[in-house]
Amino acid sequence: MLDRDGPVPLYVQVAEVLRERIAGGEFGVGDALPSEAALEEEFGIGRTTARNAARELRRRGLAHTVRGEGTFVGPAGVPRVKPSRALYVPIAAAVAARITRGELRPGRAVPDAGTLSRHYGVARVTARQAVALLVRQGWAVETPPRGVRVADPSAWPRELAPAGEHPLTSVLLK
């Protein structure tokens, strides 16, 4: 999709792809654009390139950035469309999925708010909410002064999701 050897910088190419998505109606005025972390993953680019793509969209007057919330379609001051679900819920679901797959083992540290914030391109407060949800649901336990650790499997939620819904998201939404 991106011409990595061409004369057009990668950030301009990514900004152009996003501009086309906006023009095509995938993103409407007030909608959040993908986070820097999501752009990194989708396009295989670095954080600086993702950040510069957002800057290019702002320069063109197609988007504005709200610190700690993200980049949104349209000029500053346009009402932002609130996501239908809190941002921390899918982050917590992703960490819970890592726990159930055995990538994060019982007694080991859960990624801290700074790590989650950088990885998902969200504010630290959002990442802290994700960790707090994991603790409330029983996926993790606070162990001062060692931080938050993966809980014993006997404490993990056991409920199943309705048909067609990811089981971890269903459990975490309660």
Side-chain angles (χ1 to χ4, degrees):
M1 182 185 276
L2 300 180
D3 182 2
R4 296 181 184 279
D5 298 320
V8 179
L10 287 177
Y11 76 90
V12 173
Q13 293 179 54
V14 172
E16 184 59 24
V17 169
L18 293 173
R19 185 203 61 76
E20 290 171 3
R21 290 178 182 174
I22 292 168
E26 184 176 335
F27 299 109
V29 174
D31 284 344
L33 290 171
S35 68
E36 290 175 0
L39 292 175
E40 287 178 67
E41 186 173 323
E42 179 180 352
F43 294 103
I45 58 176
R47 179 64 53 109
T48 301
T49 302
R51 189 168 292 141
N52 287 338
R55 184 176 297 131
E56 179 67 13
L57 291 172
R58 288 193 306 271
R59 187 189 68 73
R60 295 181 189 185
L62 297 172
H64 68 282
T65 300
V66 177
R67 187 177 188 148
E69 292 187 37
T71 300
F72 300 86
V73 177
V78 169
R80 295 185 301 280
V81 175
K82 298 289 183 191
S84 59
R85 178 180 296 161
L87 291 175
Y88 66 89
V89 173
I91 294 170
V95 175
R98 290 182 63 199
I99 291 170
T100 61
R101 288 192 306 264
E103 294 173 26
L104 299 172
R105 299 165 67 67
R108 301 291 182 159
V110 169
D112 64 16
T115 301
L116 293 174
S117 173
R118 286 187 300 278
H119 181 76
Y120 291 100
V122 297
R124 283 183 184 260
V125 67
T126 302
R128 283 192 294 272
Q129 289 172 318
V131 173
L133 182 56
L134 291 166
V135 170
R136 282 195 312 274
Q137 291 294 326
W139 295 104
V141 293
E142 292 184 66
T143 56
R146 296 175 51 204
V148 178
R149 303 280 173 170
V150 175
D152 184 85
S154 64
W156 298 351
R158 299 281 182 221
E159 300 178 34
L160 296 176
E165 187 175 313
H166 190 285
L168 298 173
T169 301
S170 174
V171 169
L172 289 166
L173 282 173
K174 289 192 170 193

